[in-house]
Amino acid sequence: MIYSKIAGTGSYIPEHILTNQDLEKIVETNDAWIQSRTGIRQRHVRAENQLTSDLALLAAQRAMAAAVVTPSDVDLLIVATTTPDMVFPSTACFLQAKLGMTGGAAFDVQAVCTGFVYALAIADKFIRSGGSKCALVVGAETFTNLLDWDDRNTCVLFGDGAGAVVLRPSDAPGIYSTHLHSDGRYANKLFVPGSVCGGKATGSPTVKMDGGSVFRFAVKVLDQVCREALEANHLNVSEVDWLVPHQANIRIIESTALKMGIDKSRVIVTVGDHGNTSAASIPLALDLAVRDGRIKPGQPVLLAGVGGGFTWGSALIRM
Ligand code: UT7
């Protein structure tokens, strides 16, 4: 039996920091409201010339260095993003060129904030089937491109960043299971209603969100999808060392931990420093906790995401 295993992690966040105090000067909001309702203190914003593939490049290079693989080893490259460099080609193809890769398959996955979990699940299936010997899976976003800086309901929530993992085949897990879900009936709760038609951008290119509905749905399904993963693997919640949830709002994260009976000390939280980086949030949080020594080799870790679509999903892994 072939399993896939994470051989290395990496991440990158742009240098420029936008604090809540900075936002107070742009829109009618205040630090106390943002912190108490979301847990966010600051977010990182791309430099003017930085594209999603540039953020992805630095995260990918760090993950490859940690896994001790070169671009020519990689035969599958998946980028999860909601903010591609262009309509096409895929951001994965731009990243492939920036890495100096000329072989393998490269494509994007679009599942908004659940995108990294979706991409990881796909790469896991490639590796398990023998279709890939070395997969690079990236979550990268320049989500601030999609913000209306006059809309305080959304512009305070998001930031830019990238995270990546390298997956290699292994005799033992690795990735125990992935569970993916979506329900398109909720498309209008969190969306960007813009498109390109007849050579012109049409509609609105900024995020629209029914925050309350997203909040309630997220709290419900994150708990459900985590329990689904544990049950599928006959594990008790106490047997998982870490929960790495999507980083949208500290209240969503804490409610999920409470419902599951996981102590806060076993939950990786980066939302305060990064805001919601959409598809980048889970691999970014994972990499930070690996590098600061909290997440150690051999430990079981539960990844869980939820986002526009709605989409939601989990991956139960052993590091
Ligand atoms: O990856 C998934 C992406 N999205 C999410 O996860 C978002 C999920 N939703 C949430 O995180 C929360 O619903 C929000 C943080 C967006 C909003 O928190 P809330 O506790 O649900 O606040 P609310 O929408 O009920 O608004 C409460 C008040 C309103 O004022 P009134 O009507 O009570 O006078 C808002 O106008 O807070 C006001 N408000 C703000 N005030 C200061 C909304 N945004 C702001 C703001 N600064 N930025």
PDB file of all heavy atoms in Angstrom, residues 5 241-242 286 289-301 317-319:
ATOM      1  N   LYS A   5       3.034  11.325   2.181  1.00  0.00           N
ATOM      2  CA  LYS A   5       3.517  11.896   3.443  1.00  0.00           C
ATOM      3  C   LYS A   5       4.113  13.276   3.162  1.00  0.00           C
ATOM      4  O   LYS A   5       4.758  13.474   2.117  1.00  0.00           O
ATOM      5  CB  LYS A   5       4.596  10.978   4.024  1.00  0.00           C
ATOM      6  CG  LYS A   5       4.991  11.324   5.456  1.00  0.00           C
ATOM      7  CD  LYS A   5       5.830  10.210   6.050  1.00  0.00           C
ATOM      8  CE  LYS A   5       6.365  10.599   7.420  1.00  0.00           C
ATOM      9  NZ  LYS A   5       5.337  10.906   8.403  1.00  0.00           N
ATOM     10  N   ASP A 241      -2.854  15.430  18.079  1.00  0.00           N
ATOM     11  CA  ASP A 241      -2.056  16.415  18.826  1.00  0.00           C
ATOM     12  C   ASP A 241      -2.446  17.849  18.510  1.00  0.00           C
ATOM     13  O   ASP A 241      -2.411  18.703  19.387  1.00  0.00           O
ATOM     14  CB  ASP A 241      -0.572  16.203  18.525  1.00  0.00           C
ATOM     15  CG  ASP A 241      -0.022  15.005  19.280  1.00  0.00           C
ATOM     16  OD1 ASP A 241      -0.183  14.973  20.511  1.00  0.00           O
ATOM     17  OD2 ASP A 241       0.537  14.097  18.639  1.00  0.00           O
ATOM     18  N   TRP A 242      -2.768  18.104  17.214  1.00  0.00           N
ATOM     19  CA  TRP A 242      -3.000  19.493  16.811  1.00  0.00           C
ATOM     20  C   TRP A 242      -4.174  19.619  15.864  1.00  0.00           C
ATOM     21  O   TRP A 242      -4.355  18.777  14.977  1.00  0.00           O
ATOM     22  CB  TRP A 242      -1.754  20.059  16.092  1.00  0.00           C
ATOM     23  CG  TRP A 242      -0.555  20.140  16.969  1.00  0.00           C
ATOM     24  CD1 TRP A 242       0.494  19.280  17.004  1.00  0.00           C
ATOM     25  CD2 TRP A 242      -0.286  21.153  17.946  1.00  0.00           C
ATOM     26  NE1 TRP A 242       1.402  19.684  17.944  1.00  0.00           N
ATOM     27  CE2 TRP A 242       0.956  20.833  18.538  1.00  0.00           C
ATOM     28  CE3 TRP A 242      -0.961  22.301  18.378  1.00  0.00           C
ATOM     29  CZ2 TRP A 242       1.529  21.617  19.539  1.00  0.00           C
ATOM     30  CZ3 TRP A 242      -0.402  23.076  19.375  1.00  0.00           C
ATOM     31  CH2 TRP A 242       0.832  22.730  19.946  1.00  0.00           C
ATOM     32  N   LEU A 286       0.312  25.791   9.297  1.00  0.00           N
ATOM     33  CA  LEU A 286       1.019  24.517   9.483  1.00  0.00           C
ATOM     34  C   LEU A 286       2.531  24.746   9.470  1.00  0.00           C
ATOM     35  O   LEU A 286       3.264  24.265  10.343  1.00  0.00           O
ATOM     36  CB  LEU A 286       0.620  23.551   8.355  1.00  0.00           C
ATOM     37  CG  LEU A 286       1.283  22.177   8.360  1.00  0.00           C
ATOM     38  CD1 LEU A 286       0.792  21.349   9.541  1.00  0.00           C
ATOM     39  CD2 LEU A 286       0.989  21.422   7.055  1.00  0.00           C
ATOM     40  N   ALA A 289       3.931  26.514  12.606  1.00  0.00           N
ATOM     41  CA  ALA A 289       3.976  25.650  13.791  1.00  0.00           C
ATOM     42  C   ALA A 289       5.014  24.546  13.663  1.00  0.00           C
ATOM     43  O   ALA A 289       5.577  24.095  14.667  1.00  0.00           O
ATOM     44  CB  ALA A 289       2.590  25.060  14.051  1.00  0.00           C
ATOM     45  N   VAL A 290       5.291  24.117  12.425  1.00  0.00           N
ATOM     46  CA  VAL A 290       6.374  23.143  12.211  1.00  0.00           C
ATOM     47  C   VAL A 290       7.711  23.825  12.505  1.00  0.00           C
ATOM     48  O   VAL A 290       8.573  23.298  13.219  1.00  0.00           O
ATOM     49  CB  VAL A 290       6.343  22.596  10.767  1.00  0.00           C
ATOM     50  CG1 VAL A 290       7.637  21.878  10.418  1.00  0.00           C
ATOM     51  CG2 VAL A 290       5.153  21.658  10.581  1.00  0.00           C
ATOM     52  N   ARG A 291       7.868  25.043  11.978  1.00  0.00           N
ATOM     53  CA  ARG A 291       9.161  25.720  12.118  1.00  0.00           C
ATOM     54  C   ARG A 291       9.423  26.207  13.536  1.00  0.00           C
ATOM     55  O   ARG A 291      10.591  26.286  13.949  1.00  0.00           O
ATOM     56  CB  ARG A 291       9.269  26.882  11.118  1.00  0.00           C
ATOM     57  CG  ARG A 291       9.524  26.349   9.721  1.00  0.00           C
ATOM     58  CD  ARG A 291       9.551  27.391   8.652  1.00  0.00           C
ATOM     59  NE  ARG A 291       9.527  26.709   7.364  1.00  0.00           N
ATOM     60  CZ  ARG A 291      10.600  26.434   6.635  1.00  0.00           C
ATOM     61  NH1 ARG A 291      11.786  26.827   7.038  1.00  0.00           N
ATOM     62  NH2 ARG A 291      10.494  25.782   5.501  1.00  0.00           N
ATOM     63  N   ASP A 292       8.361  26.546  14.282  1.00  0.00           N
ATOM     64  CA  ASP A 292       8.644  26.995  15.665  1.00  0.00           C
ATOM     65  C   ASP A 292       8.672  25.802  16.640  1.00  0.00           C
ATOM     66  O   ASP A 292       8.794  25.990  17.852  1.00  0.00           O
ATOM     67  CB  ASP A 292       7.668  28.088  16.116  1.00  0.00           C
ATOM     68  CG  ASP A 292       6.227  27.609  16.326  1.00  0.00           C
ATOM     69  OD1 ASP A 292       6.009  26.401  16.516  1.00  0.00           O
ATOM     70  OD2 ASP A 292       5.316  28.459  16.316  1.00  0.00           O
ATOM     71  N   GLY A 293       8.543  24.580  16.099  1.00  0.00           N
ATOM     72  CA  GLY A 293       8.761  23.384  16.917  1.00  0.00           C
ATOM     73  C   GLY A 293       7.555  22.858  17.641  1.00  0.00           C
ATOM     74  O   GLY A 293       7.628  21.853  18.340  1.00  0.00           O
ATOM     75  N   ARG A 294       6.380  23.539  17.473  1.00  0.00           N
ATOM     76  CA  ARG A 294       5.187  22.997  18.152  1.00  0.00           C
ATOM     77  C   ARG A 294       4.752  21.691  17.495  1.00  0.00           C
ATOM     78  O   ARG A 294       4.550  20.682  18.166  1.00  0.00           O
ATOM     79  CB  ARG A 294       4.036  24.032  18.111  1.00  0.00           C
ATOM     80  CG  ARG A 294       4.136  25.076  19.202  1.00  0.00           C
ATOM     81  CD  ARG A 294       3.038  26.094  19.081  1.00  0.00           C
ATOM     82  NE  ARG A 294       3.180  26.918  17.878  1.00  0.00           N
ATOM     83  CZ  ARG A 294       2.264  27.747  17.402  1.00  0.00           C
ATOM     84  NH1 ARG A 294       1.109  27.866  18.009  1.00  0.00           N
ATOM     85  NH2 ARG A 294       2.492  28.471  16.321  1.00  0.00           N
ATOM     86  N   ILE A 295       4.593  21.690  16.194  1.00  0.00           N
ATOM     87  CA  ILE A 295       4.221  20.456  15.492  1.00  0.00           C
ATOM     88  C   ILE A 295       5.493  19.678  15.189  1.00  0.00           C
ATOM     89  O   ILE A 295       6.406  20.182  14.525  1.00  0.00           O
ATOM     90  CB  ILE A 295       3.435  20.758  14.198  1.00  0.00           C
ATOM     91  CG1 ILE A 295       2.100  21.424  14.551  1.00  0.00           C
ATOM     92  CG2 ILE A 295       3.212  19.475  13.402  1.00  0.00           C
ATOM     93  CD1 ILE A 295       1.195  21.718  13.368  1.00  0.00           C
ATOM     94  N   LYS A 296       5.543  18.434  15.704  1.00  0.00           N
ATOM     95  CA  LYS A 296       6.771  17.626  15.611  1.00  0.00           C
ATOM     96  C   LYS A 296       6.556  16.415  14.699  1.00  0.00           C
ATOM     97  O   LYS A 296       5.421  15.955  14.541  1.00  0.00           O
ATOM     98  CB  LYS A 296       7.169  17.133  16.997  1.00  0.00           C
ATOM     99  CG  LYS A 296       7.504  18.271  17.947  1.00  0.00           C
ATOM    100  CD  LYS A 296       7.912  17.745  19.310  1.00  0.00           C
ATOM    101  CE  LYS A 296       8.281  18.893  20.242  1.00  0.00           C
ATOM    102  NZ  LYS A 296       7.221  19.908  20.393  1.00  0.00           N
ATOM    103  N   PRO A 297       7.637  15.887  14.134  1.00  0.00           N
ATOM    104  CA  PRO A 297       7.512  14.701  13.294  1.00  0.00           C
ATOM    105  C   PRO A 297       6.804  13.576  14.056  1.00  0.00           C
ATOM    106  O   PRO A 297       7.058  13.365  15.239  1.00  0.00           O
ATOM    107  CB  PRO A 297       8.964  14.313  12.988  1.00  0.00           C
ATOM    108  CG  PRO A 297       9.732  15.581  13.166  1.00  0.00           C
ATOM    109  CD  PRO A 297       9.029  16.363  14.233  1.00  0.00           C
ATOM    110  N   GLY A 298       5.915  12.873  13.364  1.00  0.00           N
ATOM    111  CA  GLY A 298       5.200  11.747  13.964  1.00  0.00           C
ATOM    112  C   GLY A 298       3.877  12.113  14.600  1.00  0.00           C
ATOM    113  O   GLY A 298       3.083  11.224  14.919  1.00  0.00           O
ATOM    114  N   GLN A 299       3.616  13.401  14.803  1.00  0.00           N
ATOM    115  CA  GLN A 299       2.371  13.779  15.484  1.00  0.00           C
ATOM    116  C   GLN A 299       1.167  13.763  14.541  1.00  0.00           C
ATOM    117  O   GLN A 299       1.269  14.224  13.400  1.00  0.00           O
ATOM    118  CB  GLN A 299       2.508  15.189  16.080  1.00  0.00           C
ATOM    119  CG  GLN A 299       3.419  15.246  17.294  1.00  0.00           C
ATOM    120  CD  GLN A 299       3.392  16.614  17.955  1.00  0.00           C
ATOM    121  OE1 GLN A 299       3.267  17.630  17.296  1.00  0.00           O
ATOM    122  NE2 GLN A 299       3.526  16.618  19.271  1.00  0.00           N
ATOM    123  N   PRO A 300       0.021  13.265  15.004  1.00  0.00           N
ATOM    124  CA  PRO A 300      -1.214  13.367  14.212  1.00  0.00           C
ATOM    125  C   PRO A 300      -1.767  14.800  14.253  1.00  0.00           C
ATOM    126  O   PRO A 300      -1.822  15.413  15.327  1.00  0.00           O
ATOM    127  CB  PRO A 300      -2.176  12.413  14.907  1.00  0.00           C
ATOM    128  CG  PRO A 300      -1.367  11.641  15.882  1.00  0.00           C
ATOM    129  CD  PRO A 300      -0.174  12.480  16.228  1.00  0.00           C
ATOM    130  N   VAL A 301      -2.143  15.299  13.083  1.00  0.00           N
ATOM    131  CA  VAL A 301      -2.621  16.685  12.953  1.00  0.00           C
ATOM    132  C   VAL A 301      -3.883  16.676  12.094  1.00  0.00           C
ATOM    133  O   VAL A 301      -3.944  15.974  11.079  1.00  0.00           O
ATOM    134  CB  VAL A 301      -1.541  17.565  12.273  1.00  0.00           C
ATOM    135  CG1 VAL A 301      -2.046  18.991  12.086  1.00  0.00           C
ATOM    136  CG2 VAL A 301      -0.240  17.564  13.072  1.00  0.00           C
ATOM    137  N   ILE A 317      -3.639  13.898   9.112  1.00  0.00           N
ATOM    138  CA  ILE A 317      -2.289  13.529   8.665  1.00  0.00           C
ATOM    139  C   ILE A 317      -1.394  13.189   9.853  1.00  0.00           C
ATOM    140  O   ILE A 317      -1.666  13.595  10.985  1.00  0.00           O
ATOM    141  CB  ILE A 317      -1.631  14.687   7.868  1.00  0.00           C
ATOM    142  CG1 ILE A 317      -1.438  15.934   8.746  1.00  0.00           C
ATOM    143  CG2 ILE A 317      -2.482  15.055   6.666  1.00  0.00           C
ATOM    144  CD1 ILE A 317      -0.807  17.110   8.016  1.00  0.00           C
ATOM    145  N   ARG A 318      -0.360  12.405   9.574  1.00  0.00           N
ATOM    146  CA  ARG A 318       0.711  12.231  10.555  1.00  0.00           C
ATOM    147  C   ARG A 318       1.943  12.894   9.973  1.00  0.00           C
ATOM    148  O   ARG A 318       2.319  12.625   8.841  1.00  0.00           O
ATOM    149  CB  ARG A 318       0.991  10.749  10.822  1.00  0.00           C
ATOM    150  CG  ARG A 318       1.991  10.518  11.956  1.00  0.00           C
ATOM    151  CD  ARG A 318       2.209   9.046  12.217  1.00  0.00           C
ATOM    152  NE  ARG A 318       1.083   8.385  12.860  1.00  0.00           N
ATOM    153  CZ  ARG A 318       0.817   8.430  14.170  1.00  0.00           C
ATOM    154  NH1 ARG A 318       1.607   9.099  14.979  1.00  0.00           N
ATOM    155  NH2 ARG A 318      -0.220   7.786  14.664  1.00  0.00           N
ATOM    156  N   MET A 319       2.533  13.820  10.740  1.00  0.00           N
ATOM    157  CA  MET A 319       3.662  14.583  10.211  1.00  0.00           C
ATOM    158  C   MET A 319       4.916  13.713  10.138  1.00  0.00           C
ATOM    159  O   MET A 319       5.072  12.773  10.909  1.00  0.00           O
ATOM    160  CB  MET A 319       3.939  15.808  11.085  1.00  0.00           C
ATOM    161  CG  MET A 319       2.843  16.839  11.022  1.00  0.00           C
ATOM    162  SD  MET A 319       2.554  17.491   9.353  1.00  0.00           S
ATOM    163  CE  MET A 319       4.074  18.381   9.057  1.00  0.00           C
TER     164      MET A 319
END
